[in-house]
Amino acid sequence: MTARPDNPIETRFEERGSLPRPGPIGRIVRFLLGLLLLQLLYSLLTQGPRGMFDTSAPSHPTFWLSVAIAFYSIPYVVNIGLTRNWRRRPQFVIAAVAGVLIVLDLALYGTWWGPPLGIFMLAWLAYWSAHFGLSFLLSGLIATPGCEMRALPHLWSVLTGRATREHYCPGPIDRIDAWERRRGSTD
């Protein structure tokens, strides 16, 4: 298992070649998670817009589960994916914007869920699922070392020959990679 900083929201980028590449099982898991997240994106873009303009909140559990997972993981998506160290600021921004839009919806529509909040939630979840999904998919295809959120910078590095920094995987996929390395399945 790769060494992690004491604070998991804290970013610590490593030099190129510091972290091991995922093996075939880790790559397949990443690829399948990427497909799942891109399916969510497809659903958001094809079915989501209808409900986001209503004044009643979505009731489907999958929507709220997606919101919870997206809110939890947004610091990792932004910080690791964009090479930032903003810690929990992305969560604070999402919560603050949602709070302002809830007040606006209450003032305009008399309910906490209205088109302003719905449109914001649709846009935010679409960004999150696109960024996360493409990163997982790409990481599975090109065997990005460490965290899948480094897949886009890793691809850029492969295409341009410029070194990019790597990051440990803060999520559970790191355990799959460690298990796979112990079994001797990786290169």
Side-chain angles (χ1 to χ4, degrees), residues 28-38 132-133 136-137 173:
I28 289 168
V29 168
R30 285 168 172 83
F31 187 82
L32 293 175
L33 286 171
L35 290 177
L36 181 70
L37 285 161
L38 292 177
F132 216 9
F136 266 120
L137 192 69
I173 292 181

Side-chain angles (χ1 to χ4, degrees), residues 35-111:
L35 290 177
L36 181 70
L37 285 161
L38 292 177
Q39 172 60 38
L40 172 64
L41 174 64
Y42 177 78
S43 294
L44 285 168
L45 297 178
T46 58
Q47 300 166 15
R50 288 178 279 184
M52 297 302 165
F53 294 98
D54 292 341
T55 54
S56 59
S59 60
H60 201 285
T62 304
F63 174 80
W64 293 108
L65 178 61
S66 299
V67 168
I69 293 169
F71 188 74
Y72 170 78
S73 64
I74 196 69
Y76 303 106
V77 172
V78 172
N79 291 334
I80 299 171
L82 301 178
T83 318
R84 300 287 176 233
N85 194 11
W86 292 335
R87 296 174 185 84
R88 292 196 183 276
R89 283 185 210 131
Q91 285 176 320
F92 296 143
V93 169
I94 297 296
V97 170
V100 167
L101 294 176
I102 287 170
V103 170
L104 182 64
D105 283 339
L106 284 167
L108 295 176
Y109 300 97
T111 181

Side-chain angles (χ1 to χ4, degrees), residues 8-9 11 23 30 41 53 58 73 75 105 112 127 131 134 136 152 171:
I9 299 294
T11 53
R30 285 168 172 83
L41 174 64
F53 294 98
S73 64
D105 283 339
W112 70 275
Y127 160 74
H131 191 163
L134 287 173
F136 266 120
L152 293 170

